[in-house]
């Protein structure tokens, strides 16, 4: 249910994009008891169906790396499972030191 509620709010905000004053004064994000953006939106909406094969991330540096929504979802799940295997629990604070590379975005989505 949090995904549908979030999606409705997002759709309303998009519909109001040409009416900035009303959007600014009248719109409020829903207050959800539980909402995990990585699980409830990224995995449930962006990394499913046809979207899973669409490019989601392109990093430019010495090499160019592109990952699809599905690949990012799978890689973040593997990262989260690896962290759990090391004893990390949901809510733990971790320090990550990495540049603008796929590992940064994968770890930010790890759930």
């Amino acid at each position: 249910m949090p995904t549908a509620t979030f999606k409705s709010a997002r759709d309303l905000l998009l519909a109001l994009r040409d009416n900035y004053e009303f959007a600014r004064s009248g719109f409020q994000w829903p207050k959800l008891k539980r909402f995990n953006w990585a699980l409830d939106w990224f995995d449930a909406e962006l990394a499913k169906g046809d979207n899973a094969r669409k490019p989601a991330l392109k990093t430019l540096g010495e090499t160019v790396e592109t990952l699809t929504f599905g690949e990012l979802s799978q890689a973040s799940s593997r990262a989260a499972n690896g962290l759990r295997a090391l004893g990390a629990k949901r809510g733990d604070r971790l320090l990550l030191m990495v540049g603008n590379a796929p590992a940064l975005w994968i770890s930010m989505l790890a759930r």
Side-chain angles (χ1 to χ4, degrees), residues 75-88 110:
S76 68
S77 183
R78 284 192 305 272
N81 288 331
L83 290 168
R84 269 192 286 285
L86 294 171

Side-chain angles (χ1 to χ4, degrees), residues 9-106:
R10 189 268 331 244
D11 290 346
L12 176 61
L13 191 56
L14 287 172
L16 296 172
R17 71 177 159 258
D18 292 331
N19 190 342
Y20 175 76
E21 286 306 316
F22 182 75
R24 191 173 144 263
S25 65
F27 178 82
Q28 289 186 340
W29 285 107
K31 295 189 179 12
L32 303 170
K33 288 185 179 183
R34 182 193 128 350
F35 183 77
N36 179 311
W37 189 85
L39 292 172
D40 297 329
W41 189 255
F42 190 89
D43 287 348
E45 290 291 317
L46 301 178
K48 296 290 184 206
D50 292 337
N51 261 356
R53 293 183 296 280
K54 292 181 181 177
L57 175 69
K58 181 181 266 189
T59 55
L60 308 173
E62 292 180 23
T63 63
V64 175
E65 295 183 64
T66 303
L67 293 173
T68 66
F69 285 101
E71 290 168 334
L72 267 176
S73 177
Q74 291 171 356
S76 68
S77 183
R78 284 192 305 272
N81 288 331
L83 290 168
R84 269 192 286 285
L86 294 171
K89 299 176 296 308
R90 203 173 284 240
D92 284 355
R93 294 178 181 171
L94 305 171
L95 174 64
L96 176 70
M97 295 177 63
V98 63
N100 189 21
L104 170 65
W105 304 101
I106 289 167

